[in-house]
């Protein structure tokens, strides 16, 4: 069995966790999103690191 190199994996897990928390806080504060709000919640929670990134690129509705 191979040993896991935590020095490489731990920063990625931390970055993923921080992205998810920031996206969830933003999702809670937004009244409207591009598309159903519940779908963006599922994407943020279950699409790993790409979910929060996709939310910030496509899910947020402009305030203007």
């Amino acid at each position: 069995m191979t040993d896991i190199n935590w020095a490489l994996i731990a920063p990625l897990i931390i970055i993923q966790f921080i992205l998810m928390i920031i996206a969830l806080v933003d999702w809670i504060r937004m009244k409207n999103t591009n598309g159903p709000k519940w779908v963006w919640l599922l994407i943020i929670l279950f699409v790993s690191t790409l979910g929060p990134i996709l939310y910030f690129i496509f899910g947020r509705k402009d305030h203007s």
Side-chain angles (χ1 to χ4, degrees):
M1 188 165 191
T2 61
D3 291 329
I4 297 174
N5 189 352
W6 288 105
L8 295 174
I9 294 175
L12 295 175
I13 293 171
I14 292 169
I15 290 170
Q16 178 179 351
F17 182 73
I18 291 170
L19 269 173
M20 185 182 302
I21 296 300
I22 293 170
L24 286 173
V25 168
D26 188 72
W27 178 84
I28 290 168
R29 291 182 178 177
M30 291 294 254
K31 292 181 181 175
N32 297 318
T33 59
N34 290 327
K37 208 170 172 187
W38 64 272
V39 172
W40 284 112
L41 176 64
L42 294 177
I43 290 172
I44 291 169
L45 292 176
F46 297 116
V47 186
S48 189
T49 306
L50 285 178
I53 294 170
L54 290 172
Y55 168 72
F56 284 121
I57 294 173
F58 300 111
R60 297 185 82 221
K61 194 170 248 188
D62 292 333
H63 290 293
S64 51

